[in-house]
Amino acid sequence: MDNDRATLRQLPEKYLRAIRKSLMLSLPIVFIGAIALLLGSFPYAVVLPPGASPIGEEWRALALLVWRASSGIMALALLLFVSHFLSVEARDRQLIEISPPLVAVLALVNFFVVSRFPDMSSGLWLLGPQSVLLAIAVAIGSCELFVACTRLGWLRLGRKTYDLNPSLHLALTAIGPALATVNVFALASQAGSHLSFDLSHSVAQALLA
């Protein structure tokens, strides 16, 4: 617990503000997941007579599935909210022409790239509390990298489209930074995949030796 608090204190204030606002907006999902977890894991046999459980095993399994699903939905919600709030703050404080909804969608794309969702045999990995921290990390990294790429003038393809519709102008100028951000996350994901494969291969050889 002390280590977690120390880690939170080291985070910049803007990240803490974005996470706090996102958690407040995600409270309904948290309540649904908490109720489902309580129904699915409550020790009925301890407090009730044998056979007097109010729900059967099928309903308990369904409740636990709802809890896992709510955790996955909360991760996606935090991903979108955190990236949105960070991009709004970057736009207002650093005077950068970016679209917060576009940054949120970009963070969602990078989340699926990092999690290697198409390569998984099942999507149940994303339905659980283990994806919440990954979603927050991807939201912060994606937004910061996109903002850094936006500052590079040579990546902005539509710098002379001010006379067009503002939404179209923001979309055109975001093409280059968005492609660069996705490529960085794709390379990082591929590197992590190779490292994990090499590590598992080394462990297997050590066990067989």
Side-chain angles (χ1 to χ4, degrees):
M1 183 63 69
D2 293 337
N3 292 333
D4 295 339
R5 292 178 179 175
T7 303
L8 289 177
R9 292 194 191 100
Q10 293 174 0
L11 288 176
E13 186 66 24
K14 63 177 181 178
Y15 299 152
L16 296 180
R17 283 195 299 268
I19 294 173
R20 180 172 63 248
K21 294 177 182 178
S22 303
L23 287 174
M24 292 296 294
L25 292 176
S26 304
L27 279 180
I29 305 175
V30 176
F31 291 151
I32 294 174
I35 294 173
L37 179 61
L38 179 63
L39 292 176
S41 60
F42 188 80
Y44 299 103
V46 177
V47 298
L48 295 176
S53 176
I55 59 175
E57 292 299 326
E58 296 81 5
W59 286 103
R60 295 186 66 173
L62 179 61
L64 292 177
L65 180 61
V66 170
W67 166 67
R68 291 182 58 84
S70 66
S71 300
I73 295 174
M74 178 183 175
L76 295 179
L78 289 176
L79 175 77
L80 297 175
F81 290 149
V82 170
S83 57
H84 176 82
F85 288 130
L86 287 177
S87 59
V88 168
E89 184 167 348
R91 182 192 61 187
D92 296 341
R93 293 196 173 191
Q94 305 177 26
L95 301 179
I96 300 177
E97 288 185 329
I98 56 176
S99 173
L102 190 147
V103 177
V105 173
L106 179 63
L108 182 64
V109 172
N110 289 328
F111 177 73
F112 287 120
V113 168
V114 170
S115 61
R116 297 188 294 275
F117 182 74
D119 298 333
M120 291 187 297
S121 59
S122 174
L124 292 179
W125 182 88
L126 295 176
L127 298 179
Q130 65 271 12
S131 59
V132 173
L133 291 179
L134 175 64
I136 294 176
V138 170
I140 294 175
S142 177
C143 181
E144 292 294 341
L145 183 58
F146 179 78
V147 170
C149 292
T150 303
R151 293 196 185 99
L152 301 176
W154 55 275
L155 278 177
R156 306 187 66 181
L157 303 179
R159 288 180 292 172
K160 298 181 179 180
T161 58
Y162 293 101
D163 55 339
L164 299 179
N165 183 279
S167 299
L168 180 59
H169 169 68
L170 291 176
L172 290 176
T173 55
I175 291 177
L179 290 176
T181 304
V182 173
N183 285 330
V184 170
F185 273 85
L187 291 175
S189 175
Q190 194 68 21
S193 178
H194 285 300
L195 287 176
S196 61
F197 176 78
D198 293 340
L199 180 61
S200 61
H201 182 67
S202 301
V203 172
Q205 286 185 337
L207 292 176
L208 293 176

